[in-house]
Amino acid sequence: MASSEADRVRRLTLEAGGGVDRDKPDSKRDVFADLGSPVSPLRLRATPSSSSSSAGSAKSPALCNAAAAGGRGGGARSVSGRGSHSGELAAESGSGSASSNPPRPPGHRRSGSGPLIFSGGSGSSGGGGGGGGGGSTASSPLTNALPTGNICSSGRVAPAPAAPRPRARPDVLGSGTGHYGHGSIMRGGMAPARSGGIDAAPLAGRSSRAPASFLAPPDSLQEVTRAGNELYKQGRYGEALRHYDRALALCPDSAACRGNRAAALTGLGRLAEALRDCEEAVRLDPASGRAHGRLAALCLRFGMVEKARRQLTLAGNTNQSDPAEWHKLHEVESHLGKCMDARRIGDWKSALREADAAIANGADSSQLLLAMRSESLLRLNKLEDADSTITGLLKLDSASLSSMSTKLSGMVADSYVHVVQAQVNMAFGRFDAAIAIAEKARAIDPANAEVGLILNNMRLVARARAQGNDLFKAGKFAEASIAYGEGLKHESSNPVLYCNRAACWSKLGRWAKAVEDCNEALRIQPSYTKALLRRAASYAKLERWADCVRDYEVLRKELPGDTEVAESLFHAQVALKTTRGEEVSNMKFGGEVEIVTSIEQVRAAIHSPGVTVLYFMATMNQQCAQITPSVDALCSECPSVNFLKVNVDESPMIAKAENVRVVPAFKIYKDGARVKEMICPSLHVLRYSVRHYAVSHS
């Protein structure tokens, strides 16, 4: 019986041993199962003999709760007085009979089947006084006895008083008014857990007149934790976190509660808070392999390789090290090293590849790796990707890098991240923001010469750009072009300075020079809209209509609502067709879809040069009503295409001649030949088809 009871006690723990995912809260089987007990069970352990003078020692292990077993099959948890320190629980006896225990000193009494609830009642009631222990069997009628003897503040064995009465003790568990014994029971929650020990739940405050047995309150630690675990399994991390917060309030010194809270925070993406909770769990229970494993996993996500290795090693010392985590650590470490080597020699493609591999292997919240990825993209002229990467880095709930020993080009990690962010801002023309961030990098690493050089260059570039802008506004375009050129001497890959200088060349009528600077700006930043606009305008001045149309068609897709771009594209298309000797009388800008009512009109349109789209529709058809506005918009977007509309209700002969039985239907003709026919197409398919034939024709 003692063995089965001890096994049951060992199973009732908040934090089980190995074989459980450290990133998840404790499973249901790990939560206190005895929900009928008002307090969590304590581990009963044998203690070596010692004198009664050690009773109440401050070195006694602190436990969160007293034990309770109220009336479970007549078996009671007994307190042995043999050689135990005051307040400690010794191993259970096999039968609970008086004959199996040695004599106890006078005044020592053990309760029978009732729980260890110190109500302050009389200690003299019930079978047998303080002598031979004949009244301390498992069937003793005592249900609410106050343990006396070695359970007292002085640690001495006190004589049994004739009329015992409740007396105040300085250590009180919970917020109630009941008084409890001294020794290993501490005020305010759970003691640090030991390897293989039980994480007991805190005891809520109870009145000194509490009954011998009662149900656990709704806010008991075991119920709150179990509810949180169920919510966690459902992916409802926010609700689970609220339950774990309540559990932590009940037992603030519990490493298991801290670990559960860290798991919920991780699920919510609040990794920095989760990291702090894991560190606190390790501090509370240095022997917990699961706590070390959880902390290692989070450190790996932050790219803290050395710290992750230390925590995995400590987890391995408790036989709870996860081989998969070791593999991820080795992969991240390997790719991180290769990324740094590639960066050192300027191999940006390899640096980007290795950074992506390290992130994919688990270091997805590493500021250092994301900064190296952003820098690689910047050097490869993928500015939008570099900017989105650095923006994502800033949105991360990341831990500080100030504790990392990693350096890049002599820069500490925090300073390096700021430098990359400043360079990305500079490339996009955010000069003031770039300088402010570079100054932060200098404050973090004031002795680094490279940081100082970068900051100085940024200041010179910003000054040249400001001077150029002032001169341009004053109409001094030649002087402005020189100022922008001075800035390019300090930052030769800045697209903003190239584009600004191209504007100066345009004002001076030097269209070829403007095209050259726009080409440089677009080489660095291919999606630079302003540079594309200036190059298209310069092509128009140079009468390079094919190049002009190509640029304006790209701009039309990027700026679909810009009427100025649409009109410029129309005029460029007309000019291109004119130079080719093509008919342009049917081209119109901003017109509506032309309605045709005779077969002759249709035949004249489809046999004319260029691209013609026939749209067959019906007035009461719902699909036609939905797509007609889009057809009108497409007509404005593609001024070189001739759009015709046929209402089959009003012109059934045209529909019959074209063999149209289902509407909406579209037919595309090019130079008199039918090239495409679509019935009830999606808007995406229709737009793609029309633009495809319009572009191929131009």
Side-chain angles (χ1 to χ4, degrees), residues 606-628:
I606 63 179
H607 287 95
S608 63
V611 178
T612 300
V613 176
L614 277 179
Y615 168 38
F616 296 87
M617 48 81 65
T619 305
M620 303 304 295
N621 185 280
Q622 185 177 1
Q623 287 180 289
C624 293
Q626 292 176 347
I627 202 170
T628 294

Side-chain angles (χ1 to χ4, degrees), residues 193-476:
R194 288 170 171 77
S195 178
I198 292 178
D199 294 316
L203 178 66
R206 298 288 176 186
S207 168
S208 61
R209 295 184 177 87
S213 62
F214 49 87
L215 295 176
D219 288 341
S220 66
L221 177 61
Q222 53 267 51
E223 288 193 351
V224 171
T225 303
R226 183 177 65 181
N229 290 355
E230 290 300 320
L231 290 167
Y232 183 96
K233 293 174 185 177
Q234 300 170 23
R236 298 158 65 182
Y237 303 121
E239 297 172 65
L241 178 62
R242 287 193 289 274
H243 283 73
Y244 294 147
D245 284 339
R246 290 169 59 193
L248 196 59
L250 291 170
C251 207
D253 294 330
S254 167
C257 290
R258 287 282 178 186
N260 287 353
R261 187 173 187 272
L265 288 168
T266 301
L268 292 170
R270 294 158 60 178
L271 301 184
E273 295 177 71
L275 183 72
R276 288 191 289 270
D277 270 351
C278 284
E279 289 173 338
E280 181 65 12
V282 167
R283 186 191 68 80
L284 290 169
D285 188 3
S288 171
R290 174 185 282 184
H292 288 295
R294 278 176 173 158
L295 181 53
L298 279 171
C299 289
L300 188 61
R301 292 191 66 177
F302 284 123
M304 301 176 181
V305 175
E306 293 300 327
K307 189 171 182 179
R309 179 183 290 105
R310 288 197 299 271
Q311 296 303 319
L312 283 178
T313 301
L314 291 170
N317 293 339
T318 62
N319 296 322
Q320 294 193 34
S321 179
D322 188 349
E325 290 297 318
W326 276 111
H327 177 73
K328 288 168 62 177
L329 173 64
H330 293 150
E331 289 295 312
V332 169
E333 186 175 28
S334 173
H335 291 299
L336 177 60
K338 292 177 182 177
C339 181
M340 291 181 178
D341 292 339
R343 180 189 178 276
R344 191 176 300 112
I345 63 176
D347 184 0
W348 300 111
K349 288 185 178 179
S350 296
L352 177 61
R353 183 178 61 253
E354 297 299 334
D356 285 342
I359 292 169
N361 275 280
D364 56 353
S365 296
S366 169
Q367 287 185 336
L368 184 62
L369 279 166
L370 288 171
M372 286 195 287
R373 183 178 193 276
S374 182
E375 184 186 26
S376 300
L377 290 166
L378 184 65
R379 302 306 177 200
L380 293 170
N381 296 329
K382 298 181 179 180
L383 270 63
E384 283 75 17
D385 291 338
D387 191 41
S388 63
T389 298
I390 208 72
T391 301
L393 182 155
L394 297 175
K395 291 180 180 178
L396 284 176
D397 184 19
S398 296
S400 174
L401 294 173
S402 57
S403 61
M404 294 183 65
S405 59
T406 305
K407 290 190 176 184
L408 290 95
S409 300
M411 283 185 279
V412 297
D414 258 344
S415 179
Y416 169 73
V417 170
H418 282 83
V419 164
V420 174
Q421 185 185 354
Q423 290 174 334
V424 171
N425 276 280
M426 182 67 71
F428 279 90
R430 303 187 285 261
F431 293 91
D432 293 339
I435 291 173
I437 296 169
E439 287 173 346
K440 289 182 181 179
R442 180 64 180 271
I444 294 170
D445 196 3
N448 188 271
E450 185 178 358
V451 176
L453 179 61
I454 291 172
L455 176 58
N456 186 57
N457 281 349
M458 287 184 178
R459 286 172 175 167
L460 292 173
V461 172
R463 186 182 306 164
R465 177 251 195 173
Q467 290 175 351
N469 289 355
D470 292 340
L471 292 167
F472 188 92
K473 292 175 184 177
K476 300 178 179 179

Side-chain angles (χ1 to χ4, degrees), residues 44-112:
L44 306 184
R45 52 191 178 85
T47 57
S49 301
S50 63
S51 64
S52 62
S53 63
S54 64
S57 170
K59 297 180 180 179
S60 299
L63 299 174
C64 213
N65 296 324
R72 298 176 66 89
R77 203 173 273 116
S78 61
V79 179
S80 173
R82 181 181 180 183
S84 65
H85 296 294
S86 175
E88 291 186 350
L89 301 181
E92 295 183 11
S93 61
S95 63
S97 64
S99 61
S100 63
N101 297 320
R104 293 179 299 280
H108 183 92
R109 152 164 281 151
R110 178 173 57 192
S111 63

Side-chain angles (χ1 to χ4, degrees), residues 44 110 142 165 312 421 441 448 485 541 567 586 610 691:
L44 306 184
R110 178 173 57 192
L142 292 179
R165 54 185 181 178
L312 283 178
Q421 185 185 354
N448 188 271
K541 294 295 183 179
E567 188 172 0
N586 64 334
R691 285 179 173 174

